[in-house]
Amino acid sequence: KGLFVEAARAVASAGAVASYSNQDLSNTVWSFATLGLLHSALFKSVENEVKSRLMNNRTKFRGQEISNLLWSFATVNAQPDPSFIDAMSHYIAGVCTGRDGIREQSLTSLFTQRQELANLAWGCAVVGQYPKDLMNILYAGLLGTNNDPDHMRRVFNDDGLEKSSIMTLYYVQIAADIEAPELKLALPEGFPNGWGVMDGQQRTRSKDGDDLAQQSSSILLTLTVSKLQRHVGSAFDAIGFDHELEYVIDTNQIRDELPNEIVLTQSPMEFLSIDLANVEKRIGVEVDGPGHFVHLLDKPPRRRESEIIILDDMGDNRFNGPTTLKHRLLSHLDWDIIHLPYWEFQKLDGDSRQQQDYCRNLIQSSNKW
């Protein structure tokens, strides 16, 4: 930790960040994000420097550098200023569009892989900003304009969309439909059939690494039930909180509940799950292990107020981007999501009475209980 704090201070110091190349800046924030570390002063310095370069065309960026930058900010839930995303949008639009619209050749000269486009789209959804020009370019790069997956394979010389990219598109589509419906983004008819090679069932480690995962029948969603989650479930059972473990929400259910807002294909796909769900009252409990948080290395400034739902920091921990986006989507679907941080339950040292009291207090905080 100390090493990364000193490194962040060195990069963020006056004038130092200007001496870094685009790749240096991208690699630096990517390293912090990959390790789940957020140094707010560092990220703000990089944000300001990159924004200046993009707006003034001071240097040429590669698509991977832009993609990694936004992915990193979104992953650690750094909440960049909207002007940062606008600068990215303006730069990419300047490279990839002409008088006749989006140019495929320019698109592939900037972005070498569709995963880079998917990471940008996901980053926009996490920060809740959807510049029209950028979103249209990203969808055109990922999906084309003629519902022709084979053509897009030839354009990018790949085997199709990765499973992670397909999952990303579902998240982005629903988030944009609810939060930016004026864009009228849409997935191709029949999506994802034909768009990528997707794996069948497999057994994996759980998110907390201490139990084998239970697999969903969905080709997109892998469900995991950890030992901690089972212990928490037992405590909620004991206080009379009826619930299902790993309750799954599919695209058909979402489309039925929000028929005027959601533009999804007819093929049902499971892609959202809740650790413990009382379906009748729409109360969900998320058992958040270490993988749901980033560690704060400095005292962050007060985060900007917006209409985007933001979860409060918990001491030196902040909910990461994936967790925040999932919380927003479930909230839009009228679920009251309660978060149970792993360290709070572990402090109870297995005392069943304390565990039950803790869970009871959590549930009583819900306005639906």
Side-chain angles (χ1 to χ4, degrees), residues 211-253:
D211 201 0
L212 286 175
Q214 293 181 353
Q215 299 300 312
S216 163
S217 59
S218 170
I219 54 179
L220 291 181
L221 187 64
T222 298
L223 302 181
T224 60
V225 182
S226 68
K227 289 182 180 178
L228 174 61
Q229 191 174 333
R230 289 197 176 97
H231 291 157
V232 171
S234 296
F236 276 107
D237 281 333
I239 65 171
F241 178 70
D242 294 330
H243 65 271
E244 297 182 26
L245 281 175
E246 292 295 351
Y247 176 73
V248 175
I249 300 172
D250 66 26
T251 51
N252 276 356
Q253 183 178 343

Short mmCIF file of all heavy atoms in Angstrom, two decimals, residues 211-253:
data_model
loop_
_atom_site.label_atom_id
_atom_site.label_comp_id
_atom_site.label_asym_id
_atom_site.label_seq_id
_atom_site.Cartn_x
_atom_site.Cartn_y
_atom_site.Cartn_z
N ASP A 211 -15.50 -21.78 -2.23
CA ASP A 211 -16.54 -22.77 -2.48
C ASP A 211 -16.71 -22.93 -3.98
O ASP A 211 -16.43 -22.02 -4.75
CB ASP A 211 -17.86 -22.31 -1.86
CG ASP A 211 -18.83 -23.46 -1.62
OD1 ASP A 211 -18.46 -24.60 -1.95
OD2 ASP A 211 -19.93 -23.20 -1.12
N LEU A 212 -17.18 -24.09 -4.40
CA LEU A 212 -17.46 -24.28 -5.81
C LEU A 212 -18.75 -23.55 -6.19
O LEU A 212 -19.67 -23.44 -5.40
CB LEU A 212 -17.60 -25.77 -6.13
CG LEU A 212 -16.29 -26.56 -6.16
CD1 LEU A 212 -16.59 -28.03 -6.37
CD2 LEU A 212 -15.38 -26.06 -7.27
N ALA A 213 -18.77 -23.07 -7.39
CA ALA A 213 -19.91 -22.28 -7.84
C ALA A 213 -21.04 -23.16 -8.33
O ALA A 213 -20.82 -24.24 -8.85
CB ALA A 213 -19.47 -21.33 -8.95
N GLN A 214 -22.26 -22.68 -8.15
CA GLN A 214 -23.41 -23.28 -8.78
C GLN A 214 -23.64 -22.57 -10.09
O GLN A 214 -23.60 -21.34 -10.15
CB GLN A 214 -24.65 -23.14 -7.88
CG GLN A 214 -24.57 -23.93 -6.60
CD GLN A 214 -25.84 -23.77 -5.79
OE1 GLN A 214 -26.70 -22.97 -6.13
NE2 GLN A 214 -25.96 -24.53 -4.73
N GLN A 215 -23.89 -23.33 -11.14
CA GLN A 215 -24.00 -22.73 -12.46
C GLN A 215 -25.45 -22.49 -12.86
O GLN A 215 -26.31 -23.33 -12.66
CB GLN A 215 -23.33 -23.62 -13.50
CG GLN A 215 -21.84 -23.83 -13.26
CD GLN A 215 -21.09 -22.52 -13.28
OE1 GLN A 215 -21.26 -21.73 -14.19
NE2 GLN A 215 -20.27 -22.29 -12.28
N SER A 216 -25.69 -21.32 -13.42
CA SER A 216 -26.99 -21.03 -14.01
C SER A 216 -27.10 -21.76 -15.34
O SER A 216 -26.11 -22.10 -15.97
CB SER A 216 -27.13 -19.52 -14.21
OG SER A 216 -28.16 -19.22 -15.10
N SER A 217 -28.33 -21.97 -15.77
CA SER A 217 -28.54 -22.56 -17.09
C SER A 217 -28.25 -21.56 -18.19
O SER A 217 -28.18 -21.91 -19.36
CB SER A 217 -29.99 -23.05 -17.22
OG SER A 217 -30.89 -21.97 -17.03
N SER A 218 -28.10 -20.29 -17.82
CA SER A 218 -27.83 -19.26 -18.81
C SER A 218 -26.43 -19.42 -19.36
O SER A 218 -25.51 -19.79 -18.64
CB SER A 218 -27.98 -17.88 -18.18
OG SER A 218 -27.51 -16.88 -19.05
N ILE A 219 -26.27 -19.12 -20.65
CA ILE A 219 -24.95 -19.17 -21.25
C ILE A 219 -24.16 -17.91 -20.93
O ILE A 219 -22.98 -17.82 -21.23
CB ILE A 219 -25.05 -19.34 -22.77
CG1 ILE A 219 -25.94 -18.26 -23.38
CG2 ILE A 219 -25.53 -20.72 -23.13
CD1 ILE A 219 -26.07 -18.35 -24.89
N LEU A 220 -24.78 -16.91 -20.32
CA LEU A 220 -24.07 -15.69 -19.98
C LEU A 220 -23.76 -15.58 -18.51
O LEU A 220 -22.74 -15.03 -18.12
CB LEU A 220 -24.91 -14.47 -20.39
CG LEU A 220 -25.09 -14.21 -21.89
CD1 LEU A 220 -25.92 -12.96 -22.09
CD2 LEU A 220 -23.75 -14.06 -22.58
N LEU A 221 -24.63 -16.07 -17.65
CA LEU A 221 -24.54 -15.79 -16.23
C LEU A 221 -23.97 -16.98 -15.47
O LEU A 221 -24.46 -18.10 -15.58
CB LEU A 221 -25.93 -15.45 -15.69
CG LEU A 221 -26.01 -14.98 -14.25
CD1 LEU A 221 -25.28 -13.66 -14.09
CD2 LEU A 221 -27.46 -14.81 -13.83
N THR A 222 -22.92 -16.73 -14.72
CA THR A 222 -22.35 -17.73 -13.82
C THR A 222 -22.70 -17.34 -12.39
O THR A 222 -22.33 -16.26 -11.94
CB THR A 222 -20.83 -17.80 -13.98
OG1 THR A 222 -20.51 -18.20 -15.31
CG2 THR A 222 -20.24 -18.81 -13.00
N LEU A 223 -23.44 -18.19 -11.70
CA LEU A 223 -23.85 -17.90 -10.34
C LEU A 223 -22.90 -18.56 -9.35
O LEU A 223 -22.46 -19.68 -9.56
CB LEU A 223 -25.27 -18.42 -10.10
CG LEU A 223 -26.35 -17.86 -11.03
CD1 LEU A 223 -27.70 -18.45 -10.66
CD2 LEU A 223 -26.40 -16.35 -10.96
N THR A 224 -22.62 -17.84 -8.27
CA THR A 224 -21.75 -18.39 -7.24
C THR A 224 -22.41 -18.24 -5.88
O THR A 224 -23.05 -17.23 -5.59
CB THR A 224 -20.40 -17.67 -7.22
OG1 THR A 224 -20.60 -16.29 -6.95
CG2 THR A 224 -19.67 -17.82 -8.55
N VAL A 225 -22.29 -19.27 -5.05
CA VAL A 225 -22.80 -19.22 -3.69
C VAL A 225 -21.64 -19.56 -2.77
O VAL A 225 -21.19 -20.71 -2.71
CB VAL A 225 -23.96 -20.21 -3.48
CG1 VAL A 225 -24.50 -20.08 -2.05
CG2 VAL A 225 -25.07 -19.96 -4.48
N SER A 226 -21.13 -18.57 -2.06
CA SER A 226 -19.97 -18.78 -1.20
C SER A 226 -20.41 -19.27 0.17
O SER A 226 -21.59 -19.24 0.53
CB SER A 226 -19.20 -17.46 -1.06
OG SER A 226 -19.96 -16.53 -0.32
N LYS A 227 -19.43 -19.71 0.95
CA LYS A 227 -19.71 -20.12 2.33
C LYS A 227 -20.26 -18.95 3.13
O LYS A 227 -21.19 -19.12 3.93
CB LYS A 227 -18.44 -20.65 2.98
CG LYS A 227 -17.97 -22.00 2.45
CD LYS A 227 -16.72 -22.47 3.19
CE LYS A 227 -16.25 -23.81 2.65
NZ LYS A 227 -15.00 -24.26 3.33
N LEU A 228 -19.69 -17.78 2.92
CA LEU A 228 -20.19 -16.60 3.64
C LEU A 228 -21.64 -16.34 3.29
O LEU A 228 -22.47 -16.05 4.16
CB LEU A 228 -19.33 -15.37 3.27
CG LEU A 228 -19.81 -14.03 3.83
CD1 LEU A 228 -19.83 -14.06 5.35
CD2 LEU A 228 -18.93 -12.89 3.32
N GLN A 229 -21.98 -16.46 2.02
CA GLN A 229 -23.35 -16.23 1.59
C GLN A 229 -24.30 -17.23 2.23
O GLN A 229 -25.42 -16.87 2.64
CB GLN A 229 -23.43 -16.32 0.07
CG GLN A 229 -24.74 -15.85 -0.54
CD GLN A 229 -24.69 -15.84 -2.05
OE1 GLN A 229 -23.61 -15.70 -2.63
NE2 GLN A 229 -25.83 -16.00 -2.68
N ARG A 230 -23.88 -18.48 2.34
CA ARG A 230 -24.73 -19.50 2.99
C ARG A 230 -24.92 -19.19 4.47
O ARG A 230 -26.01 -19.36 5.03
CB ARG A 230 -24.12 -20.88 2.79
CG ARG A 230 -24.23 -21.39 1.36
CD ARG A 230 -23.98 -22.90 1.32
NE ARG A 230 -24.18 -23.41 -0.03
CZ ARG A 230 -23.22 -23.61 -0.92
NH1 ARG A 230 -21.97 -23.34 -0.59
NH2 ARG A 230 -23.48 -24.06 -2.12
N HIS A 231 -23.85 -18.74 5.16
CA HIS A 231 -23.96 -18.39 6.57
C HIS A 231 -24.91 -17.20 6.76
O HIS A 231 -25.73 -17.18 7.69
CB HIS A 231 -22.58 -18.06 7.14
CG HIS A 231 -21.67 -19.23 7.24
ND1 HIS A 231 -20.30 -19.13 7.28
CD2 HIS A 231 -21.93 -20.56 7.29
CE1 HIS A 231 -19.76 -20.33 7.36
NE2 HIS A 231 -20.74 -21.22 7.36
N VAL A 232 -24.78 -16.22 5.88
CA VAL A 232 -25.68 -15.07 5.94
C VAL A 232 -27.13 -15.51 5.69
O VAL A 232 -28.05 -15.09 6.39
CB VAL A 232 -25.26 -14.00 4.92
CG1 VAL A 232 -26.31 -12.90 4.83
CG2 VAL A 232 -23.91 -13.41 5.29
N GLY A 233 -27.32 -16.39 4.72
CA GLY A 233 -28.65 -16.90 4.42
C GLY A 233 -29.27 -17.61 5.61
O GLY A 233 -30.47 -17.46 5.89
N SER A 234 -28.46 -18.36 6.33
CA SER A 234 -28.96 -19.06 7.52
C SER A 234 -29.40 -18.08 8.59
O SER A 234 -30.42 -18.30 9.27
CB SER A 234 -27.86 -19.99 8.08
OG SER A 234 -27.53 -21.00 7.15
N ALA A 235 -28.65 -16.99 8.74
CA ALA A 235 -29.03 -15.98 9.74
C ALA A 235 -30.34 -15.31 9.36
O ALA A 235 -31.20 -15.06 10.22
CB ALA A 235 -27.92 -14.94 9.87
N PHE A 236 -30.54 -15.04 8.08
CA PHE A 236 -31.80 -14.44 7.65
C PHE A 236 -32.95 -15.43 7.77
O PHE A 236 -34.08 -15.04 8.06
CB PHE A 236 -31.66 -13.92 6.21
CG PHE A 236 -31.05 -12.56 6.12
CD1 PHE A 236 -29.75 -12.39 5.65
CD2 PHE A 236 -31.77 -11.44 6.50
CE1 PHE A 236 -29.18 -11.14 5.56
CE2 PHE A 236 -31.21 -10.18 6.42
CZ PHE A 236 -29.91 -10.02 5.95
N ASP A 237 -32.68 -16.70 7.53
CA ASP A 237 -33.71 -17.72 7.76
C ASP A 237 -34.17 -17.69 9.21
O ASP A 237 -35.38 -17.79 9.50
CB ASP A 237 -33.16 -19.11 7.43
CG ASP A 237 -33.14 -19.39 5.93
OD1 ASP A 237 -33.97 -18.81 5.21
OD2 ASP A 237 -32.29 -20.21 5.50
N ALA A 238 -33.22 -17.56 10.11
CA ALA A 238 -33.52 -17.62 11.54
C ALA A 238 -34.40 -16.46 12.01
O ALA A 238 -35.14 -16.59 12.99
CB ALA A 238 -32.22 -17.65 12.35
N ILE A 239 -34.35 -15.32 11.32
CA ILE A 239 -35.17 -14.17 11.74
C ILE A 239 -36.45 -14.07 10.91
O ILE A 239 -37.19 -13.10 11.03
CB ILE A 239 -34.37 -12.85 11.63
CG1 ILE A 239 -34.00 -12.53 10.17
CG2 ILE A 239 -33.12 -12.90 12.50
CD1 ILE A 239 -33.40 -11.14 9.98
N GLY A 240 -36.71 -15.09 10.08
CA GLY A 240 -37.97 -15.14 9.36
C GLY A 240 -38.01 -14.31 8.08
O GLY A 240 -39.10 -13.94 7.62
N PHE A 241 -36.86 -14.05 7.51
CA PHE A 241 -36.81 -13.31 6.24
C PHE A 241 -36.84 -14.33 5.10
O PHE A 241 -35.85 -15.00 4.81
CB PHE A 241 -35.53 -12.46 6.17
CG PHE A 241 -35.36 -11.70 4.87
CD1 PHE A 241 -36.19 -10.64 4.56
CD2 PHE A 241 -34.36 -12.07 3.97
CE1 PHE A 241 -36.02 -9.93 3.38
CE2 PHE A 241 -34.19 -11.37 2.78
CZ PHE A 241 -35.02 -10.30 2.49
N ASP A 242 -37.99 -14.46 4.48
CA ASP A 242 -38.13 -15.40 3.37
C ASP A 242 -37.31 -14.92 2.18
O ASP A 242 -37.42 -13.75 1.78
CB ASP A 242 -39.60 -15.55 2.96
CG ASP A 242 -40.45 -16.19 4.05
OD1 ASP A 242 -39.87 -17.01 4.81
OD2 ASP A 242 -41.64 -15.87 4.13
N HIS A 243 -36.54 -15.81 1.59
CA HIS A 243 -35.70 -15.38 0.48
C HIS A 243 -35.28 -16.55 -0.39
O HIS A 243 -35.36 -17.71 0.02
CB HIS A 243 -34.44 -14.67 1.01
CG HIS A 243 -33.53 -15.59 1.79
ND1 HIS A 243 -33.66 -15.77 3.15
CD2 HIS A 243 -32.48 -16.38 1.41
CE1 HIS A 243 -32.75 -16.61 3.57
NE2 HIS A 243 -32.02 -16.99 2.54
N GLU A 244 -34.88 -16.21 -1.58
CA GLU A 244 -34.26 -17.17 -2.50
C GLU A 244 -32.79 -16.83 -2.64
O GLU A 244 -32.42 -15.66 -2.70
CB GLU A 244 -34.92 -17.10 -3.89
CG GLU A 244 -36.38 -17.47 -3.92
CD GLU A 244 -36.94 -17.42 -5.34
OE1 GLU A 244 -36.14 -17.59 -6.30
OE2 GLU A 244 -38.16 -17.20 -5.49
N LEU A 245 -31.96 -17.86 -2.68
CA LEU A 245 -30.54 -17.66 -2.96
C LEU A 245 -30.33 -17.51 -4.46
O LEU A 245 -30.87 -18.28 -5.25
CB LEU A 245 -29.71 -18.83 -2.43
CG LEU A 245 -29.39 -18.88 -0.93
CD1 LEU A 245 -28.65 -20.16 -0.60
CD2 LEU A 245 -28.56 -17.67 -0.51
N GLU A 246 -29.53 -16.53 -4.82
CA GLU A 246 -29.19 -16.29 -6.23
C GLU A 246 -30.44 -16.23 -7.12
O GLU A 246 -30.61 -17.00 -8.05
CB GLU A 246 -28.21 -17.35 -6.75
CG GLU A 246 -26.83 -17.27 -6.12
CD GLU A 246 -26.08 -15.98 -6.47
OE1 GLU A 246 -26.57 -15.23 -7.32
OE2 GLU A 246 -25.03 -15.75 -5.86
N TYR A 247 -31.31 -15.31 -6.78
CA TYR A 247 -32.50 -15.07 -7.60
C TYR A 247 -32.08 -14.43 -8.91
O TYR A 247 -31.33 -13.45 -8.93
CB TYR A 247 -33.48 -14.16 -6.84
CG TYR A 247 -34.70 -13.78 -7.64
CD1 TYR A 247 -35.70 -14.71 -7.89
CD2 TYR A 247 -34.84 -12.49 -8.15
CE1 TYR A 247 -36.82 -14.36 -8.61
CE2 TYR A 247 -35.97 -12.13 -8.87
CZ TYR A 247 -36.95 -13.08 -9.10
OH TYR A 247 -38.06 -12.74 -9.84
N VAL A 248 -32.55 -14.98 -10.01
CA VAL A 248 -32.11 -14.56 -11.33
C VAL A 248 -33.20 -13.76 -12.03
O VAL A 248 -34.37 -14.12 -12.01
CB VAL A 248 -31.70 -15.77 -12.19
CG1 VAL A 248 -31.36 -15.33 -13.62
CG2 VAL A 248 -30.50 -16.48 -11.56
N ILE A 249 -32.80 -12.66 -12.66
CA ILE A 249 -33.69 -11.82 -13.45
C ILE A 249 -33.25 -11.92 -14.90
O ILE A 249 -32.07 -11.72 -15.21
CB ILE A 249 -33.62 -10.36 -12.99
CG1 ILE A 249 -34.05 -10.25 -11.52
CG2 ILE A 249 -34.50 -9.46 -13.86
CD1 ILE A 249 -33.83 -8.88 -10.92
N ASP A 250 -34.19 -12.26 -15.79
CA ASP A 250 -33.81 -12.37 -17.20
C ASP A 250 -34.37 -11.18 -17.99
O ASP A 250 -35.13 -10.36 -17.48
CB ASP A 250 -34.24 -13.71 -17.81
CG ASP A 250 -35.75 -13.89 -17.89
OD1 ASP A 250 -36.49 -12.88 -17.95
OD2 ASP A 250 -36.21 -15.05 -17.89
N THR A 251 -33.97 -11.12 -19.24
CA THR A 251 -34.33 -9.98 -20.08
C THR A 251 -35.82 -9.90 -20.35
O THR A 251 -36.37 -8.81 -20.49
CB THR A 251 -33.56 -10.03 -21.40
OG1 THR A 251 -33.73 -11.33 -22.00
CG2 THR A 251 -32.07 -9.79 -21.18
N ASN A 252 -36.51 -11.05 -20.44
CA ASN A 252 -37.95 -11.02 -20.66
C ASN A 252 -38.67 -10.36 -19.49
O ASN A 252 -39.61 -9.59 -19.66
CB ASN A 252 -38.48 -12.44 -20.87
CG ASN A 252 -38.35 -12.90 -22.30
OD1 ASN A 252 -37.92 -12.14 -23.16
ND2 ASN A 252 -38.69 -14.15 -22.57
N GLN A 253 -38.23 -10.68 -18.27
CA GLN A 253 -38.83 -10.10 -17.08
C GLN A 253 -38.64 -8.59 -17.06
O GLN A 253 -39.57 -7.84 -16.73
CB GLN A 253 -38.22 -10.72 -15.82
CG GLN A 253 -38.82 -10.24 -14.52
CD GLN A 253 -38.19 -10.92 -13.31
OE1 GLN A 253 -37.55 -11.96 -13.43
NE2 GLN A 253 -38.36 -10.32 -12.15
#
